[in-house]
Amino acid sequence: MPPIEASELIPIRDPAEALDREHLQALQLDRLRLTVALVLRAQPRGAELLAHAGVSSADDIHTLEDLARVPFMQKADLRDNYPFGLLAVPRTDLVRVHASSGTHGKPTVVGYTRGDMENWTELVARNMTMAGVKPGMLIHNANGYGLLTGGFGYHQGAERLGATVLPVSGGFTARQAMLLADLRAEVLVSTPSYALAIAAAVRDAGIDPLTLGLTLGLFGGEASTPRLREQIERQLGLRAVDSYGLSEMCGPGVSNECLQERNGLHVHEDHFLVEVVDPQDGRVLEPGAQGELVFTTLTKEALPLIRYRTGDLGAVSIEPCACGRTTARILDLRGRRDDMLTIRGVNVHPSNIEHLLLGIDGIAPHYRLVAEREGPMDELTVECEVDGDGSPAELSARVAALLREQMGLRIGVVILDSGTLPRSDGKAVRVVDRRNP
């Protein structure tokens, strides 16, 4: 897509987004001490972890670096205290409850006070502002409305911003195409994989995507690659902007790309303190190093979390952005550590496979990785769909050769007819691991 013009430069919604690092860190330290005091007073599990680090009072936190000695909170802590054991307020103080999908077990349940809801709404409005959304725009919200946070998060943020929301939710994909053509929404909000499903429905309906009113796409909820973004932009005729969040923090509202640069996701550091740690030993890494993202909430009332390991892999830069924002940016987001497969001693990230596949003419942007164990050996198969009239045998050989060359691993390839792999109106299932039934 073409670069934005000077007349399109995006305003900064909140002065906190452009604070110099000295003043930002002073604000973070004040809010961290308030969070520590809340946890010590009202969250037994969090207080136990603080005690391991010798923190018995907020006065024991002198600098942000003191945080590094506190043990991590992990998803297992939320599951062990399911559903409300980590609340720092009475359950009756909650005005909303959301939960994760629970793909790997019990869902993580997150409560919101009225203050949490106010902060969340404003943070999503910040996200949408930096993504180029303006008051009065029509938002086609194809995120699910339910326990997951995407649908409601973008809905309330858009309304706060002064935009008009069409709460389509997920599913009924042919209807999504019809509504996009008839109502001419300017902004599509969905997961990247569902945006591709909507694009297919637009084509199936005989609609030229260039005749739609779409100018922006706000995508999150799952990892994606630059090549996937290019596919979405080409198929829907819009400019795509990525978002990153997790339900344990507040869902959407943690970080977002700015439309001006689209070079990293700006973290709202006045509300979330971000670290990157070595996934193996938990050591804090320097800015720019690839590792696991760890967040500490600074303003959450119902569910404060100190040093929460997300399981998501990425790097963080603290260099100011040309858009004027000075907040840290998440770079090179590679998806979840849980989704990484180790095949015969080689670590395989789904995002690396996706990047390779989408660079091959004749391969559609729909794929799945299937890991199996045959005797003592692990085997990995890539299932992907043909795009057009290409020869399955020729495509299979090309894909297998490229994967072997780039990954250093023999990987099986199965080329499927278009539309064979299951589609999702939420997060696509990219990994099927059958080695541990």
Side-chain angles (χ1 to χ4, degrees):
M1 301 296 288
I4 65 174
E5 300 296 330
S7 60
E8 296 182 87
L9 295 184
I10 308 304
I12 293 176
R13 183 174 174 86
D14 192 294
E17 300 175 75
L19 285 174
D20 64 75
R21 189 136 294 270
E22 180 181 355
H23 285 91
L24 175 60
Q25 290 182 335
L27 175 62
Q28 288 179 316
L29 184 58
D30 287 343
R31 290 182 170 181
L32 175 60
R33 286 171 174 153
L34 292 173
T35 298
V36 167
L38 174 61
V39 168
L40 289 170
R41 182 174 70 251
Q43 190 190 72
R45 175 55 179 160
E48 178 185 351
L49 295 174
L50 287 168
H52 277 293
V55 178
S56 59
S57 164
D59 294 335
D60 293 326
I61 301 294
H62 303 288
T63 69
L64 294 176
E65 286 70 29
D66 290 340
L67 198 63
R69 67 177 191 263
V70 178
F72 298 110
M73 181 81 76
Q74 307 198 52
K75 185 160 286 193
D77 291 300
L78 277 78
R79 291 180 176 143
D80 291 345
N81 290 276
Y82 175 86
F84 296 125
L86 291 182
L87 289 183
V89 298
R91 203 280 305 155
T92 52
D93 284 359
L94 304 182
V95 297
R96 177 89 65 81
V97 174
H98 281 283
S100 69
S101 58
T103 305
H104 302 290
K106 289 280 191 181
T108 54
V109 174
V110 182
Y112 296 79
T113 65
R114 198 166 302 280
D116 291 333
M117 289 295 297
E118 170 62 27
N119 285 334
W120 182 23
T121 298
E122 183 57 32
L123 289 175
V124 179
R126 275 194 207 176
N127 276 7
M128 300 183 82
T129 297
M130 77 170 74
V133 179
K134 299 175 182 177
M137 280 184 162
L138 178 58
I139 314 295
H140 183 107
N141 189 355
N143 277 322
Y145 281 71
L147 283 176
L148 296 178
T149 54
F152 283 104
Y154 279 105
H155 187 118
Q156 60 210 35
E159 288 188 339
R160 171 64 59 85
L161 186 59
T164 304
V165 185
L166 183 64
V168 188
S169 193
F172 300 99
T173 308
R175 184 178 65 181
Q176 306 262 2
M178 179 192 72
L179 291 172
L180 283 170
D182 293 348
L183 277 66
R184 297 187 57 77
E186 297 148 282
V187 182
L188 171 64
V189 180
S190 73
T191 62
S193 56
Y194 195 46
L196 289 173
I198 292 173
V202 168
R203 292 194 302 273
D204 291 345
I207 301 168
D208 181 352
L210 296 182
T211 66
L212 300 176
L214 290 174
T215 60
L216 290 172
L218 276 56
F219 303 117
E222 61 187 10
S224 64
T225 62
R227 283 185 172 163
L228 181 59
R229 165 154 57 194
E230 291 168 7
Q231 290 268 1
I232 295 170
E233 291 186 332
R234 178 176 58 81
Q235 294 186 29
L236 287 171
L238 49 73
R239 190 179 284 138
V241 181
D242 289 340
S243 172
Y244 168 79
L246 57 162
S247 61
E248 296 91 325
M249 298 293 109
C250 68
V254 176
S255 64
N256 210 88
E257 286 184 314
C258 62
L259 180 62
Q260 182 172 338
E261 293 296 314
R262 296 193 299 175
N263 181 26
L265 299 113
H266 292 271
V267 178
H268 299 302
E269 288 192 277
D270 53 325
H271 291 264
F272 304 102
L273 199 157
V274 60
E275 304 170 83
V276 178
V277 304
D278 186 293
Q280 303 304 318
D281 61 22
R283 176 174 46 90
V284 177
L285 302 178
E286 293 296 318
Q290 178 76 213
E292 181 178 355
L293 299 173
V294 173
F295 283 95
T296 295
T297 65
L298 298 176
T299 56
K300 291 268 283 188
E301 296 174 344
L303 189 69
L305 295 174
I306 294 178
R307 302 202 81 202
Y308 180 75
R309 293 186 71 151
T310 66
D312 294 320
L313 301 173
V316 168
S317 169
I318 58 173
E319 293 298 318
C321 180
C323 74
R325 292 171 180 83
T326 56
T327 47
R329 285 172 289 151
I330 300 172
L331 308 173
D332 195 21
L333 194 60
R334 294 190 179 183
R336 293 195 56 76
R337 185 181 62 182
D338 294 346
D339 287 339
M340 185 186 75
L341 296 165
T342 301
I343 306 294
R344 301 192 295 278
V346 177
N347 292 335
V348 178
H349 294 276
S351 60
N352 292 343
I353 299 285
E354 179 179 288
H355 179 80
L356 294 173
L357 290 177
L358 297 188
I360 301 174
D361 290 338
I363 296 295
H366 303 285
Y367 69 95
R368 184 169 65 179
L369 311 185
V370 180
E372 299 178 284
R373 179 160 290 141
E374 297 184 7
M377 298 292 290
D378 290 340
E379 300 292 342
L380 180 63
T381 300
V382 175
E383 299 176 342
C384 48
E385 295 182 4
V386 65
D387 182 16
D389 300 322
S391 163
E394 188 269 338
L395 283 172
S396 178
R398 285 173 56 201
V399 173
L402 183 63
L403 291 174
R404 186 181 185 96
E405 174 187 339
Q406 297 294 323
M407 308 295 294
L409 187 68
R410 178 177 51 79
I411 297 174
V413 177
V414 176
I415 304 296
L416 303 169
D417 291 337
S418 178
T420 301
L421 290 172
R423 302 296 196 260
S424 170
D425 57 10
K427 298 181 182 181
V429 177
R430 300 298 194 194
V431 176
V432 178
D433 194 342
R434 296 172 178 158
R435 294 174 295 178
N436 299 301

